[in-house]
Amino acid sequence: MEVLLPKLPSFKFPSATYCCSITSRSSSYVRFGFRRVSVCASTVNEAVAEPIVGFLSLGHSTRPHFPILHQEVNGSKLVYLDNAATSQKPTAVLKALQNYYEAYNSNVHRGIHFLSARATDEYESARRKVASFINAIDSREIVFTKNASEAINLVAYSWGLSNLKPDDEIILTVAEHHSAIVPWQIVAQKTGAVLKFVDLNQDEIPDIDKLKEMLSRKTKIVVVHHVSNVLASVLPIQDIAQWAHDVGAKVLVDACQSVPHMMIDVQSLNVDFLVASSHKMCGPTGIGFLYGKIDLLSSMPPFLGGGEMISDVYLDHSTYAEPPSRFEAGTPAIGEAIGLGAAIDYLSGIGMQTIHDYEVELGRYLYERLLSVPNIRIYGPAPSEKVERAALCSFNVENLHPTDLATLLDQQHGVAIRSGHHCAQPLHRYLGVSSSARASLYFYNTKEDVDNFIHALNDTVSFFSSLMDAVSISSCRDFKLE
């Protein structure tokens, strides 16, 4: 099929091989003033719309690929700014899931018939796509899990219980997600290991100098995020990995907020383990992945027992498969893995550097517009030439509860943000608050989304201010009457 798409120089399109693997190839034309490129019929609305420079932003050109964004919520146009919690799904991913269940639904690795063989090929193809996406040496270094939380638990229970002993040290930061704290608390209780936490510096970034000072021969593993889901700060993972390795420690990176937004090269970072979730990178829920260096994975015992992860089973013992099968007990999330593979195709078609560059600009715009809101407190570092912020802002407005803000933004303006502790209670306590509001962007968002959000937020703040003024006046009158 031929379809007209606008042009952005650094974009890449799905390869000819990818297109040829799809059976439907009927041709038609769509004319909207865009340049014409040839794509397969089933990739229409999925291929990346490359904007003409100076005409369409990346957000405008990709929004047509996300059906959910084109609706009204509570009588207003939906403005979705909750991407750090989960991303929306392009038509390409929805079709990949539908195609699996309609055309070749079958269990993997366990059948010789056509459906099983095709399902297995597509499932393992998804693993290879993940490996390529993060530049792993070998697809065997990719273990599919049900989410990033399970991936961290896998490392904690399999590697941690086998390698940690009393007084060994595990270093984390106060800004970690609960999923990166709780498993290591449990393992520390079982092994006698000690958890040590790095505080924030004056810029509200985890103090990397203090982290470096904490490292010693007692340190066995460093568990850190790449991008904070609250502070929007970005840690120098390559440096942290080098410092940790210098004292013989391993490094586990929570990359849930970085893999969807920037180029990740695990070989360059030289981390031992890295985890991410599909649903934050345009893929389905119910699947994530663990990257682990193959020598480490090969040395680790199984996390769960059952079918698929065995080599041989006897009545008194079992032997185990090599990684990654050793860590994928039972029937896996086959459709979800295939959907993740389609999401990676989609993101790769745009180009992760293109996505990152666009989000840096859009994130700075969000930060600067938020500063105009009266009595606002934005958490994390201010963006500058030397300090990079992710495209999200957690904030509070003086005397207003974040859930009240989020509720009215949704009900009165159709704006979706997150409120609460964002699975980071220790960080919020450190900041002296119990919760915050958070607006988080993705590449399909636009400056108009930000403008609509700021307008809605100002309107909401004004409403509550007027309400509090009215209550205050009423209270004063009641007092005088008494």
Side-chain angles (χ1 to χ4, degrees), residues 279-353:
H279 71 94
K280 287 183 169 66
M281 52 189 291
C282 295
T285 57
I287 189 165
F289 66 85
L290 165 68
Y291 158 80
K293 290 181 176 178
I294 190 62
D295 58 332
L296 283 173
L297 293 178
S298 297
S299 70
M300 290 161 52
F303 173 45
L304 298 173
E308 191 64 31
M309 48 74 65
I310 54 87
S311 177
D312 290 293
V313 176
Y314 304 90
L315 292 181
D316 59 349
H317 74 283
S318 297
T319 57
Y320 308 121
E322 292 299 312
S325 296
R326 181 183 302 174
F327 304 105
E328 295 181 5
T331 298
I334 304 166
E336 288 79 0
I338 292 167
L340 171 58
I344 288 174
D345 286 339
Y346 180 83
L347 295 174
S348 299
I350 300 173
M352 292 310 298
Q353 190 61 50

Side-chain angles (χ1 to χ4, degrees), residues 8-12 58 263 350-359 443:
L8 185 68
S10 60
F11 280 24
K12 299 176 182 178
L58 178 59
M263 294 180 66
I350 300 173
M352 292 310 298
Q353 190 61 50
T354 297
I355 288 173
H356 178 65
D357 292 346
Y358 176 75
E359 289 186 8
F443 61 87

Side-chain angles (χ1 to χ4, degrees), residues 44-248:
V44 173
N45 295 326
E46 302 139 56
V48 178
E50 299 187 356
I52 299 170
V53 175
F55 180 54
L56 288 178
S57 71
L58 178 59
H60 288 98
S61 61
T62 54
R63 287 180 69 84
H65 309 153
F66 294 84
I68 197 171
L69 298 178
H70 306 284
Q71 62 175 298
E72 287 192 352
V73 172
N74 296 320
S76 300
K77 175 186 174 183
L78 171 64
V79 178
Y80 184 79
L81 303 180
D82 194 22
N83 295 285
T86 197
S87 66
Q88 299 303 340
K89 321 307 174 192
T91 306
V93 171
L94 303 179
K95 286 189 174 181
L97 285 167
Q98 182 179 11
N99 189 39
Y100 164 68
Y101 285 110
E102 287 184 347
Y104 57 100
N105 174 46
S106 183
N107 216 326
V108 294
H109 305 140
R110 302 175 188 176
I112 60 171
H113 58 80
F114 173 82
L115 295 182
S116 180
R118 184 176 176 193
T120 299
D121 287 346
E122 295 294 337
Y123 179 77
E124 291 302 331
S125 174
R127 193 191 308 276
R128 291 190 295 273
K129 289 175 184 178
V130 173
S132 176
F133 193 66
I134 62 171
N135 198 33
I137 294 175
D138 193 314
S139 64
R140 294 177 301 157
E141 296 182 315
I142 305 301
V143 178
F144 284 132
T145 59
K146 68 181 180 183
N147 48 41
S149 297
E150 184 179 74
I152 294 173
N153 276 271
L154 192 164
V155 177
Y157 281 85
S158 181
W159 183 89
L161 291 178
S162 301
N163 289 275
L164 296 174
K165 59 184 186 298
D167 297 325
D168 284 344
E169 293 178 352
I170 305 165
I171 294 182
L172 308 94
T173 81
V174 296
E176 299 310 316
H177 192 281
H178 294 166
S179 294
I181 296 176
V182 177
W184 295 103
Q185 289 176 334
I186 295 172
V187 167
Q189 291 167 2
K190 292 178 179 292
T191 62
V194 178
L195 299 179
K196 300 184 73 174
F197 289 90
V198 177
D199 291 338
L200 306 184
N201 63 21
Q202 61 184 7
D203 296 318
E204 294 187 339
I205 302 173
D207 194 329
I208 301 307
D209 293 332
K210 291 290 180 60
L211 187 154
K212 188 176 182 181
E213 291 176 6
M214 282 185 182
L215 290 167
S216 71
R217 289 294 170 182
K218 287 186 175 182
T219 309
K220 300 306 175 185
I221 190 166
V222 178
V223 181
V224 290
H225 61 272
H226 192 179
V227 172
S228 170
N229 72 321
V230 176
L231 304 172
S233 52
V234 183
L235 297 185
I237 296 300
Q238 190 172 29
D239 292 339
I240 293 172
Q242 182 61 57
W243 301 334
H245 292 158
D246 286 345
V247 299

Side-chain angles (χ1 to χ4, degrees), residues 236-292:
I237 296 300
Q238 190 172 29
D239 292 339
I240 293 172
Q242 182 61 57
W243 301 334
H245 292 158
D246 286 345
V247 299
K250 307 302 181 189
V251 178
L252 186 158
V253 176
D254 174 359
C256 288
Q257 300 294 342
S258 60
V259 168
H261 302 282
M262 62 181 71
M263 294 180 66
I264 299 296
D265 184 337
V266 292
Q267 293 187 60
S268 177
L269 295 176
N270 196 24
V271 297
D272 301 289
F273 303 104
L274 180 143
V275 306
S277 285
S278 163
H279 71 94
K280 287 183 169 66
M281 52 189 291
C282 295
T285 57
I287 189 165
F289 66 85
L290 165 68
Y291 158 80

